[in-house]
Amino acid sequence: SVIREDWFRSCIDAHIKLGIEPRGVKVAACDPSDTGNDPCGYVERQGIVIMGVDEIEAENGNRKMDAACGRAITFGADSFGYDADGLGATLRDNVDNCFNGKGTQIYAYKGSSSIHDPEDEFKSETAQLTNRKEELLNKHVLYNKKSQNIINIAERIFRTHEAVTMGKYHDPDTLISFCSETIKPEMLEKLKAEACKTPIRPGDTVRFYTKDELRKGVALPD
């Protein structure tokens, strides 16, 4: 994994430790799922502070999406995003109907799509992801947008770890904090476990397994 447990633990209530007030836009997002033992992942944040992490159970993907939208509206989300790969692509009408007449910005996220700024130089503070010495571009290192965003979160977690444990200054807008007052302990623990054990798929670029691949079985690191 690209995220260490001690880095993650440093981010719990980091906004309190660093004296940063939750401020800025409110964002909610969900990862839709269908029937069976696969709940819909849901998260809320304000600015850099993750305020809520939960799993939504319902009879099918449509009802789970409706519940996620309802929570986002109650939260007062300025924007709402959902994973549009797979099942999510079929739920656009649900989202549009739930937010009809509201000023919430809606965005569909596709982790399988192309990365941002492919021609920019790749930079990483979190880990030596490649042993190659020449200058590398984002397109040389990152497989898709999912890979790019996971690395971005790892960067935020690492910078926050440095700020909390070493007193190193970083722009507060580049950090992240998980609020233990509003996230249920079991959800915080599950988030930590999954974030810190996400395996990288072998290959020439940084790539992560899909949920279907993980369900079929992947040899996870110890």
Side-chain angles (χ1 to χ4, degrees), residues 24-54:
V25 298
K26 290 185 175 182
V27 180
C30 77
D31 183 9
S33 61
D34 201 355
T35 56
N37 299 320
D38 186 15
C40 169
Y42 175 78
V43 65
E44 297 171 346
R45 72 171 174 87
Q46 182 174 17
I48 67 164
V49 183
I50 308 299
M51 308 293 290
V53 177
D54 208 352

Side-chain angles (χ1 to χ4, degrees), residues 14-23 48-49 170-173 175:
H15 63 293
I16 296 175
K17 300 169 186 174
L18 298 172
I20 301 172
E21 290 291 332
R23 57 182 176 82
I48 67 164
V49 183
H170 289 286
D171 181 349
D173 288 339
L175 306 181

Side-chain angles (χ1 to χ4, degrees), residues 28-103:
C30 77
D31 183 9
S33 61
D34 201 355
T35 56
N37 299 320
D38 186 15
C40 169
Y42 175 78
V43 65
E44 297 171 346
R45 72 171 174 87
Q46 182 174 17
I48 67 164
V49 183
I50 308 299
M51 308 293 290
V53 177
D54 208 352
E55 293 179 324
I56 298 175
E57 300 277 6
E59 59 185 292
N60 57 48
N62 297 85
R63 300 293 77 79
K64 292 172 189 177
M65 178 63 89
D66 290 343
C69 292
R71 290 197 188 187
I73 291 168
T74 300
F75 177 58
D78 299 294
S79 66
F80 176 78
Y82 64 99
D83 188 343
D85 278 328
L87 176 70
T90 69
L91 299 175
R92 183 176 62 184
D93 289 345
N94 285 66
V95 178
D96 290 343
N97 290 334
C98 287
F99 288 97
N100 184 35
K102 301 186 182 300

